[in-house]
Amino acid sequence: MRRSCESAPVFFALLLGYGAGRRGVIDNQNVSSINHLVMTFAIPVSLFVSISSQKRSGITSHGGFIAVTVISMLVVYAVTLPLQLKVFGVGTGAAAVQSLTIAFPNYASIGLPLSAAVIGAQGAVAVAIAIALGSMTISPLTIALLEGAKLGPDAPGSTLSRFGSALGRSVRKPIFLAPVLAFVLVLAGVHMPDLVEETLTPIGMAGAGAALFLTGLMLSAQKVTFGPNVAYGIVMKNALLPLFAWGLCVLFGLGRLNTTEAVLLTAIPSGFFGLVFGARFGVRPKVSGSTLMLSTVAGIVSLSVVIGLLPQHV
């Protein structure tokens, strides 16, 4: 029972943000300042502090986890994108946003507090790796597709060249650079002075809670509709993706810790990166907002089930 209730603090923080937005306590339409606080400062610092305190073996033991996470995200994205275009009949920009919403779990907001509760301090390593992998693969691909859709058939360059440009911008963001720097320091055997960790810890401690609150705030601004496309997104994200990840773990013979990390993190509900990227190009598909909202609500049940099925000791 205790294991299945470990997601309760996560959803309480989400509900707090949602209530603040719905009641007008905080403006849920203009969240750019809170978004910058979370994505530019709090989460990067939290990841840096968590990873820099790990041992080198804790980093190098994640090879199997990396393979499962990359394959899971790419396969789901590759399956979802053509379905959006050919079956559900949405435009390229909206299709890219919906594909990223489904394929890229809400690692930044839910990943850190959830992994800490279920796995412990070493869970931050898996979260940082997952964010970095998504930032190097399906995130820049989504931006490239959005740029191509905005510029139309006369867009200069190919999708591949736009992907390269988007990748260059993606890897310069603090949420990517901070954990990568921490990884490099740990692998190089550099131990951060206690003063540095003590200085960074206060802002890092705000990261997980602020990110969850931000997600709830963004959800409160979504107008929910339900249809076949939303249903597909919820089933794919909350059920099929973690099941697929578990199958890959079995296929690759991953150990208990890597399996727990991979399945737990892929079971996290849909992420908001797709909507954030889409907003820059004026693409705000209602189906993605509804998928984000209902996937998160459904995650109250699906995450509890996954946590209950995970090994009791990792």
Side-chain angles (χ1 to χ4, degrees):
M1 176 64 71
R2 188 186 69 85
R3 284 292 298 270
S4 62
C5 293
E6 285 172 338
S7 60
V10 170
F11 288 102
F12 173 77
L14 285 169
L15 184 61
L16 202 62
Y18 182 84
R22 292 294 291 180
R23 294 181 65 85
V25 177
I26 297 179
D27 186 358
N28 61 9
Q29 298 295 327
N30 301 299
V31 298
S32 59
S33 295
I34 302 177
N35 186 55
H36 280 301
L37 167 65
V38 171
M39 305 301 288
T40 305
F41 298 100
I43 290 295
V45 168
S46 179
L47 290 171
F48 180 85
V49 172
S50 298
I51 296 166
S52 62
S53 63
Q54 300 291 320
K55 295 180 179 178
R56 184 184 301 175
S57 60
I59 307 296
T60 57
S61 63
H62 280 80
F65 170 82
I66 292 173
V68 169
T69 302
V70 169
I71 294 172
S72 298
M73 289 193 294
L74 289 177
V75 167
V76 170
Y77 196 98
V79 169
T80 300
L81 185 62
L83 282 176
Q84 296 299 312
L85 296 170
K86 298 178 180 179
V87 177
F88 297 113
V90 302
T92 301
V97 170
Q98 178 69 346
S99 298
L100 187 65
T101 300
I102 295 171
F104 200 173
N106 200 350
Y107 296 131
S109 295
I110 300 178
L112 282 175
L114 184 67
S115 64
V118 178
I119 302 170
Q122 70 267 35
V125 174
V127 174
I129 291 173
I131 291 175
L133 293 174
S135 299
M136 295 172 61
T137 54
I138 54 178
S139 286
L141 177 57
T142 299
I143 295 174
L145 291 171
L146 283 164
E147 289 178 342
K150 182 178 181 179
L151 296 174
D154 298 326
S158 63
T159 300
L160 182 60
S161 65
R162 289 193 294 273
F163 170 82
S165 299
L167 177 60
R169 294 193 296 272
S170 181
V171 299
R172 290 197 297 268
K173 295 184 180 299
I175 198 168
F176 177 86
L177 288 175
V180 168
L181 175 60
F183 284 136
V184 171
L185 292 174
V186 172
L187 293 175
V190 177
H191 178 71
M192 296 300 297
D194 292 340
L195 179 60
V196 173
E197 183 174 341
E198 292 170 0
T199 301
L200 296 176
T201 294
I203 184 65
M205 289 177 64
L212 289 169
F213 188 90
L214 172 63
T215 301
L217 194 62
M218 293 178 67
L219 289 174
S220 71
Q222 303 299 323
K223 294 182 179 179
V224 178
T225 59
F226 187 79
N229 201 351
V230 175
Y232 162 79
I234 296 170
V235 172
M236 174 61 81
K237 176 69 220 59
N238 291 49
L240 298 183
L241 180 53
L243 186 62
F244 179 62
W246 173 79
L248 289 175
C249 292
V250 174
L251 179 65
F252 295 157
L254 266 61
R256 179 176 290 182
L257 176 58
N258 276 188
T259 297
T260 298
E261 291 172 332
V263 175
L264 177 69
L265 295 186
T266 53
I268 291 173
S270 296
F272 57 78
F273 277 21
L275 290 171
V276 171
F277 294 150
R280 299 178 188 173
F281 297 88
V283 179
R284 298 178 176 86
K286 291 182 180 179
V287 65
S288 298
S290 298
T291 300
L292 174 64
M293 175 70 171
L294 295 178
S295 171
T296 303
V297 173
I300 298 174
V301 175
S302 61
L303 263 181
S304 296
V305 171
V306 169
I307 293 172
L309 293 174
L310 289 174
Q312 293 296 308
H313 301 285
V314 294

